[in-house]
Amino acid sequence: MSAVTYELIKECGQSGARLGKIHTPHGSFDTPMFMPVGTLATVKTMSPEELKEMGAGIILSNTYHLWLRPGEDIVEEAGGLHQFMNWDRGILTDSGGFQVFSLSDLRKITEEGVHFRNHLSGEKLFLSPEKSIAIQNALGSDIMMAFDECPPYPAEFDYMKASVERTSRWAERCLHSNKSPDRQALFGIIQGGEYEALRKQSAADLTSLDFPGYAVGGLSVGEPKDVMNRVLEFTTPLLPQNKPRYLMGVGSPDSLIDGVIRGIDMFDCVLPTRIARNGTCMTSTGRLVVRNSKYARDFGPLDEACDCHVCQTYSRAYIRHLVKANETFGFRLTTYHNLYFLIKLMGQVRQAIKEDRLLDFKAAFFEQYGFNKPNARNF
Amino acid sequence: MSAVTYELIKECGQSGARLGKIHTPHGSFDTPMFMPVGTLATVKTMSPEELKEMGAGIILSNTYHLWLRPGEDIVEEAGGLHQFMNWDRGILTDSGGFQVFSLSDLRKITEEGVHFRNHLSGEKLFLSPEKSIAIQNALGSDIMMAFDECPPYPAEFDYMKASVERTSRWAERCLHSNKSPDRQALFGIIQGGEYEALRKQSAADLTSLDFPGYAVGGLSVGEPKDVMNRVLEFTTPLLPQNKPRYLMGVGSPDSLIDGVIRGIDMFDCVLPTRIARNGTCMTSTGRLVVRNSKYARDFGPLDEACDCHVCQTYSRAYIRHLVKANETFGFRLTTYHNLYFLIKLMGQVRQAIKEDRLLDFKAAFFEQYGFNKPNARNF
């Protein structure tokens, strides 16, 4: 039995969405679910208690960053990432591949792995499937991700095909180097860009290896939204029904709903936390830039429709004052609200699936949010 | 009846310390008490809930800073500072005088008030006793401070004498311009530097005006510690027994204890919060610089003897990692611990007064803290 299992509870009568539950060695959580990102063993500005209060069942942490700081050996010596950061619910770690490709300018990809320079010190480093899994084993996450290449958009078919094939070979090496499959589940990552043939090839390769879960990678890398939706439409049907499906790096409210409709169970993104630190908030009526001068004397909440602690307690005027003065507590408030907003949105989505009305929910949400307006501002 | 009253519970059998209770329109708190500083309507990195959890009964906020950002009119429109920042316990506001003298280079003191430039924008501004009180009335603090001049150390006797006399005239103007004495108590500030004659003159002037409380100002401005203690020794006996006594800008553990021994009831200082944001912690065995590399694999708490949430939950290794990576949560943890440390220290001091053993407590605390060692590092 895998360390992580997926329980399908119900499929939506209106869409490809599925209601489920994922069981991990650190508790279970309902799906679809959004995972807050805790890059350096902390979800920026938040405490573990606050994450629990808002209903987060699992968070993501970054292997690359923890490898460099403080080093996976220190985390392991602390008793693993859960103990190190005082988080007793689920943790998913990525493979480090995305950061190696996105943060590092100087890199060389070989069959063995990737040579690159540390983005902080310039030091030469090497990351391979085996090394990535060894780090993730040391971190002790519940869900580990296979080390893959995530090419930018657009990429040539021939480059993408070679990359997909290498990613499949790397995935097999990852699977074989997982030292604790009974405690840590390794998910495979389907690549292939916008090419249906390559997504098919990638899915066939990876499902033949029988991973306990699958991610759709290589999306939200600059492609138009309709490309993302189309790729999901022909990719999720290639994945087994009895395993979790994770769409990597997606966190805008519209894309979450569109992903769920196409059969995705898990999402992560820095979007809600990153924009919060710039004073931008997600609300039920759209994007709100709270540092805007029009909120200086607005004593209403960030979002009238929100029942989070921040909206029940603090005004736009106060939060604007804090954000403008660069006060940490302001960023705590915007971060809390944004994460709550997405986690609650996923709860509403689950309820809509249960009641076979996800497309109706989407239509109403998009209308209220303003996604249907011409030139609607997203994130 | 004044908005704020002092209840003397017991005097220490070993020292001039007094155990008491201060009653404000926003609740009562035991004294001696340390007040966390919330300059811009937020105690940096902390939530009001966290401040309550650690036992803070009153906080200080800065009139000068709130006047500039967001403006006292906005705070007043929000329903006052308590409502603006969601803090329903006591608030003391300073007069803005200290900031005008310490932050502003270009200033001109006249009998009417002080002309100076905004330290953020360079704009020309004017602050007077009447203006300071008008701002503090708009903020709605429970305790307001008289607008005074706080000369640096050392200052010539003749300059200090003229300054003390002006400060007394300003104090009277402050008293007359307080629009809500039933809800906001105005404290007078005794100045006079290290000169006993001038402290006597200042105390005589101000006590004749019958303020509901008195501060000892002009200390912790660069003078040696023995000067501070000596000034307190001849100043606090000049103050009425039935009014609170507040020593401004003092927050190192040794100075708090030495101040209490000399009859002080209230203290404030940015020290615990400021050093926390540099990764420096107060512990029962002295100063701990958690970013030091020797804590990289130290999985013990910041302070073995501390029962705060941070020390019960997080390791030095984790906090060091966060502080080194400049993660907000690290500064939340060090700030929480430092404030808890001082608030708990005041609780221990109160217990020692109750049991007539404050000098014994001081001796044991100084010994364990290392204040008795030659070249002991303070803050």
Side-chain angles (χ1 to χ4, degrees):
Chain A
M1 176 113 165
S2 166
V4 168
T5 57
Y6 176 74
E7 180 188 346
L8 176 63
I9 294 173
K10 181 183 183 309
E11 287 172 299
C12 177
Q14 275 194 337
S15 71
R18 32 195 244 157
L19 188 70
K21 212 180 242 295
I22 292 179
H23 305 285
T24 84
H26 289 88
S28 304
F29 56 89
D30 297 324
T31 58
M33 175 58 79
F34 176 79
M35 300 184 281
V37 176
T39 295
L40 277 160
T42 170
V43 174
K44 287 189 195 302
T45 82
M46 292 288 96
S47 72
E49 292 80 8
E50 286 159 345
L51 296 170
K52 285 186 179 181
E53 186 181 278
M54 64 179 72
I58 180 168
I59 61 171
L60 178 145
S61 207
N62 293 116
T63 291
Y64 170 82
H65 291 282
L66 292 173
W67 177 35
L68 302 192
R69 294 186 295 183
E72 76 283 7
D73 52 333
I74 287 179
V75 176
E76 187 171 31
E77 213 178 310
L81 192 50
H82 294 85
Q83 186 155 344
F84 188 57
M85 67 181 291
N86 182 38
W87 177 252
D88 58 9
R89 297 189 181 175
I91 298 178
L92 180 149
T93 45
D94 63 4
S95 70
F98 184 78
Q99 283 73 30
V100 166
F101 290 104
S102 64
L103 289 178
S104 171
D105 286 332
L106 292 164
R107 62 177 176 268
K108 191 180 159 215
I109 307 174
T110 69
E111 183 62 25
E112 186 54 24
V114 187
H115 297 268
F116 64 100
R117 287 186 185 274
N118 177 334
H119 78 288
L120 299 170
S121 69
E123 177 197 7
K124 281 187 187 175
L125 291 170
F126 177 69
L127 201 56
S128 65
E130 291 77 14
K131 178 72 185 169
S132 170
I133 298 302
I135 299 169
Q136 294 184 72
N137 277 155
L139 296 174
S141 51
D142 303 289
I143 300 175
M144 306 192 296
M145 299 306 299
F147 185 72
D148 64 337
E149 185 188 358
C150 177
Y153 175 88
E156 295 289 331
F157 183 87
D158 289 349
Y159 183 89
M160 188 62 87
K161 184 170 166 58
S163 169
V164 159
E165 289 166 355
R166 186 171 47 228
T167 284
S168 292
R169 292 190 296 272
W170 283 0
E172 189 165 5
R173 284 164 54 189
C174 286
L175 203 53
H176 292 151
S177 53
N178 180 4
K179 287 193 180 65
S180 54
D182 53 320
R183 292 188 301 108
Q184 298 181 267
L186 176 67
F187 282 20
I189 304 175
I190 314 295
Q191 291 285 357
E194 82 264 46
Y195 305 110
E196 186 167 1
L198 297 183
R199 290 283 177 182
K200 276 189 176 158
Q201 180 178 343
S202 180
D205 288 350
L206 295 185
T207 54
S208 77
L209 294 171
D210 196 27
F211 284 93
Y214 296 91
V216 181
L219 292 177
S220 199
V221 292
E223 77 285 356
K225 204 168 138 43
D226 63 319
V227 171
M228 185 196 290
N229 286 338
R230 192 165 46 80
V231 170
L232 288 176
E233 277 157 25
F234 60 62
T235 303
T236 51
L238 306 170
L239 302 177
Q241 276 282 338
N242 62 341
K243 303 283 176 71
R245 301 165 183 169
Y246 160 32
L247 176 55
M248 305 180 83
V250 166
S252 70
D254 55 332
S255 297
L256 291 181
I257 295 173
D258 279 330
V260 169
I261 285 171
R262 289 159 182 85
I264 296 295
D265 307 308
M266 300 162 68
F267 303 85
D268 82 286
C269 194
V270 294
L271 182 74
T273 42
R274 181 170 289 167
I275 66 174
R277 296 195 304 282
N278 192 32
T280 301
C281 299
M282 296 175 170
T283 81
S284 56
T285 54
R287 183 171 172 273
L288 184 140
V289 182
V290 75
R291 62 166 72 231
N292 195 309
S293 63
K294 71 179 166 188
Y295 302 121
R297 290 165 189 277
D298 185 336
F299 301 105
L302 288 175
D303 185 354
E304 286 285 355
C306 182
D307 59 355
C308 84
H309 173 65
V310 176
C311 288
Q312 296 303 308
T313 312
Y314 298 98
S315 67
R316 291 173 175 179
Y318 180 60
I319 297 170
R320 173 181 189 267
H321 158 65
L322 295 178
V323 164
K324 292 262 300 172
N326 209 30
E327 282 286 353
T328 296
F329 191 51
F331 304 115
R332 285 180 58 175
L333 297 178
T334 53
T335 300
Y336 187 100
H337 169 79
N338 281 355
L339 287 174
Y340 186 95
F341 183 83
L342 288 189
I343 288 172
K344 185 179 178 187
L345 175 61
M346 292 290 92
Q348 294 168 321
V349 161
R350 291 194 299 271
Q351 191 62 31
I353 298 171
K354 197 179 282 181
E355 296 167 6
D356 295 315
R357 55 172 181 80
L358 184 57
L359 292 187
D360 301 337
F361 175 82
K362 171 184 167 173
F365 181 85
F366 274 39
E367 178 64 28
Q368 193 184 9
Y369 202 90
F371 284 126
N372 297 335
K373 288 181 202 147
N375 305 319
R377 297 228 31 196
N378 201 343
F379 295 99
Chain B
M1 175 113 165
S2 165
V4 167
T5 56
Y6 176 74
E7 178 188 347
L8 175 64
I9 294 173
K10 180 183 184 314
E11 288 172 298
C12 177
Q14 276 195 337
S15 70
R18 31 194 245 159
L19 188 70
K21 214 181 240 296
I22 291 179
H23 305 283
T24 84
H26 289 88
S28 304
F29 56 90
D30 298 323
T31 57
M33 175 57 81
F34 176 80
M35 300 185 281
V37 176
T39 295
L40 278 160
T42 169
V43 174
K44 289 191 193 301
T45 81
M46 291 288 95
S47 72
E49 292 81 6
E50 286 160 344
L51 295 171
K52 286 187 178 181
E53 187 180 278
M54 64 178 75
I58 180 167
I59 61 172
L60 178 146
S61 207
N62 293 114
T63 290
Y64 171 82
H65 291 282
L66 293 172
W67 177 35
L68 301 192
R69 294 187 293 184
E72 76 283 7
D73 52 331
I74 287 180
V75 176
E76 186 171 31
E77 212 178 310
L81 192 50
H82 294 85
Q83 185 155 342
F84 188 56
M85 68 181 290
N86 182 38
W87 176 252
D88 58 9
R89 299 190 180 174
I91 298 178
L92 180 150
T93 45
D94 62 4
S95 70
F98 184 78
Q99 282 73 33
V100 166
F101 290 102
S102 65
L103 289 178
S104 172
D105 286 331
L106 293 165
R107 59 174 178 270
K108 192 183 159 214
I109 307 175
T110 69
E111 183 62 26
E112 184 55 23
V114 187
H115 297 268
F116 65 100
R117 288 186 185 274
N118 178 335
H119 78 288
L120 299 170
S121 68
E123 179 197 3
K124 281 188 187 174
L125 291 171
F126 176 69
L127 201 56
S128 65
E130 290 77 13
K131 178 71 185 169
S132 170
I133 297 301
I135 299 169
Q136 295 184 72
N137 277 156
L139 296 175
S141 51
D142 302 288
I143 300 175
M144 307 193 295
M145 299 307 299
F147 185 71
D148 64 338
E149 184 188 357
C150 178
Y153 176 88
E156 295 289 332
F157 183 87
D158 289 348
Y159 182 89
M160 187 63 86
K161 183 170 166 62
S163 169
V164 160
E165 288 166 356
R166 186 170 48 226
T167 285
S168 292
R169 292 190 296 274
W170 284 0
E172 189 164 6
R173 284 163 55 189
C174 286
L175 204 53
H176 292 151
S177 53
N178 180 6
K179 288 196 179 63
S180 52
D182 53 318
R183 291 187 304 106
Q184 299 182 267
L186 176 67
F187 282 20
I189 305 176
I190 314 296
Q191 291 285 358
E194 82 265 45
Y195 305 109
E196 186 168 359
L198 298 182
R199 289 283 176 184
K200 275 188 177 160
Q201 179 177 345
S202 181
D205 289 350
L206 296 184
T207 54
S208 76
L209 295 169
D210 196 27
F211 284 93
Y214 296 90
V216 182
L219 291 178
S220 199
V221 291
E223 78 285 357
K225 202 166 141 40
D226 63 320
V227 171
M228 184 194 294
N229 286 337
R230 192 166 45 81
V231 170
L232 288 177
E233 278 157 26
F234 60 63
T235 303
T236 51
L238 306 170
L239 301 176
Q241 275 282 337
N242 62 341
K243 304 284 175 73
R245 302 164 182 169
Y246 160 32
L247 176 55
M248 305 180 83
V250 166
S252 71
D254 55 333
S255 296
L256 291 181
I257 295 173
D258 279 330
V260 169
I261 285 172
R262 290 160 181 84
I264 296 294
D265 308 308
M266 301 163 68
F267 303 85
D268 82 285
C269 194
V270 295
L271 182 75
T273 41
R274 180 170 289 167
I275 64 174
R277 297 195 304 282
N278 193 31
T280 300
C281 299
M282 295 174 171
T283 81
S284 56
T285 54
R287 182 171 172 273
L288 185 139
V289 182
V290 74
R291 64 167 72 231
N292 195 307
S293 63
K294 71 179 166 188
Y295 302 121
R297 291 165 188 277
D298 185 336
F299 301 105
L302 288 176
D303 185 354
E304 286 284 355
C306 182
D307 58 356
C308 84
H309 174 65
V310 175
C311 288
Q312 296 303 307
T313 313
Y314 299 97
S315 66
R316 292 172 173 179
Y318 180 59
I319 296 169
R320 173 181 189 266
H321 159 64
L322 295 178
V323 164
K324 293 263 301 173
N326 209 29
E327 282 285 353
T328 295
F329 190 52
F331 304 115
R332 286 180 59 175
L333 297 178
T334 53
T335 300
Y336 187 99
H337 169 78
N338 281 356
L339 287 175
Y340 185 96
F341 182 83
L342 287 189
I343 288 172
K344 186 180 176 186
L345 175 61
M346 290 291 92
Q348 294 168 322
V349 161
R350 291 194 298 271
Q351 191 61 33
I353 299 172
K354 195 179 285 180
E355 297 166 6
D356 295 316
R357 54 171 181 80
L358 184 56
L359 292 188
D360 300 338
F361 175 81
K362 172 184 167 173
F365 182 85
F366 275 38
E367 177 64 29
Q368 193 185 10
Y369 203 90
F371 283 126
N372 296 335
K373 288 180 202 146
N375 305 316
R377 296 228 32 194
N378 202 342
F379 294 101

